[in-house]
Amino acid sequence: DAGVIQSPRHEVTEMGQEVTLRCKPISGHNSLFWYRQTMMRGLELLIYFNNNVPIDDSGMPEDRFSAKMPNASFSTLKIQPSEPRDSAVYFCASLPSGSGNTIYFGEGSWLTVV
Amino acid sequence: GNSVTQMEGPVTLSEEAFLTINCTYTATGYPSLFWYVQYPGEGLQLLLKATKADDKGSNKGFEATYRKETTSFHLEKGSVQVSDSAVYFCAQKTSYDKVIFGPGTSLSVIP
């Protein structure tokens, strides 16, 4: 069974450009999470969806960030315009329903904004 | 609100030493608790979990016990190896499926 799939794995972009990160969760999982990891701030929850509906976006840093989940098998995280301080590893993760179930992570998208 | 606090790192140990990484949480209700491990350049992988008070999670020689009275879930291993060098994250999953991670503790094991 395929795990959580993220793309691109690595991206280098210039300040001001739009960045779109993509995620395919594990089939059958009904919750999807976007996290950002940096040395300074650790692992931050940006937003999570349940059954394709955004439940909590309080971690989204500012209006430059937006996330969508148009269907159960796809989500995007968009940054427009990008800034150097957005450089980080962005992880997508998915979770099946059930109290004891665990969250599964993708391998991350390594973003560098120059 | 819900949060997770871990001991500050980095932690450096000699091979075969005893490991403890402290984790405490604040929560409304009774969350499930987890330890995840991250090796360099990789995503997070589940190490162990506990879903209710007094449960003990264990895997690969690591153990942690869900202590409701002290709101803690400390990670322990009796004898660490060089291959255990990684970053360890404590996490909770709330009743509405929000998963919150602690800041992570970096462990280096030297031969």
Side-chain angles (χ1 to χ4, degrees):
Chain A
D1 189 18
V4 176
I5 299 171
Q6 292 187 245
S7 64
R9 287 297 314 280
H10 298 272
E11 177 149 349
V12 181
T13 191
E14 291 187 346
M15 182 173 63
Q17 296 299 305
E18 178 179 294
V19 173
T20 299
L21 307 178
R22 298 173 177 80
C23 176
K24 177 178 168 54
I26 294 172
S27 178
H29 286 196
N30 65 330
S31 294
L32 182 141
F33 302 77
W34 283 101
Y35 292 90
R36 177 173 68 176
Q37 186 176 35
T38 61
M39 289 291 292
M40 292 297 295
R41 302 174 70 92
L43 191 64
E44 305 172 273
L45 175 62
L46 301 178
I47 185 171
Y48 82 103
F49 297 83
N50 186 267
N51 293 323
N52 313 339
V53 176
I55 302 300
D56 185 344
D57 65 354
S58 58
M60 295 286 264
E62 48 198 273
D63 291 346
R64 296 185 298 106
F65 285 69
S66 62
K68 294 182 179 179
M69 192 166 185
N71 57 62
S73 59
F74 184 66
S75 177
T76 59
L77 177 67
K78 187 174 294 187
I79 308 172
Q80 167 62 19
S82 59
E83 297 182 2
R85 61 193 168 117
D86 301 330
S87 298
V89 184
Y90 291 82
F91 287 103
C92 178
S94 69
L95 172 74
S97 62
S99 61
N101 286 328
T102 58
I103 189 170
Y104 293 84
F105 280 78
E107 294 187 333
S109 292
W110 298 67
L111 173 65
T112 302
V113 183
V114 298
Chain B
N2 297 71
S3 67
V4 176
T5 304
Q6 291 179 236
M7 63 185 288
E8 292 289 330
V11 174
T12 302
L13 295 174
S14 297
E15 207 166 20
E16 298 184 2
F18 184 86
L19 169 71
T20 299
I21 301 177
N22 290 338
C23 170
T24 57
Y25 66 92
T26 60
T28 52
Y30 303 100
S32 296
L33 301 174
F34 307 84
W35 277 101
Y36 280 79
V37 59
Q38 184 181 32
Y39 299 102
E42 299 183 11
L44 280 71
Q45 306 170 27
L46 177 68
L47 181 59
L48 54 84
K49 69 178 183 182
T51 58
K52 60 183 187 297
D54 300 324
D55 269 1
K56 177 186 282 188
S58 61
N59 186 25
K60 300 180 182 178
F62 290 89
E63 293 183 341
T65 301
Y66 190 144
R67 301 286 189 200
K68 190 175 73 169
E69 62 276 12
T70 55
T71 62
S72 65
F73 193 55
H74 304 322
L75 182 68
E76 296 182 336
K77 186 175 186 182
S79 176
V80 293
Q81 305 300 312
V82 172
S83 57
D84 294 327
S85 299
V87 181
Y88 293 82
F89 292 88
C90 185
Q92 64 164 292
K93 184 167 74 77
T94 70
S95 57
Y96 40 91
D97 281 351
K98 184 174 183 177
V99 182
I100 302 166
F101 286 83
T105 302
S106 176
L107 170 67
S108 294
V109 180
I110 54 177

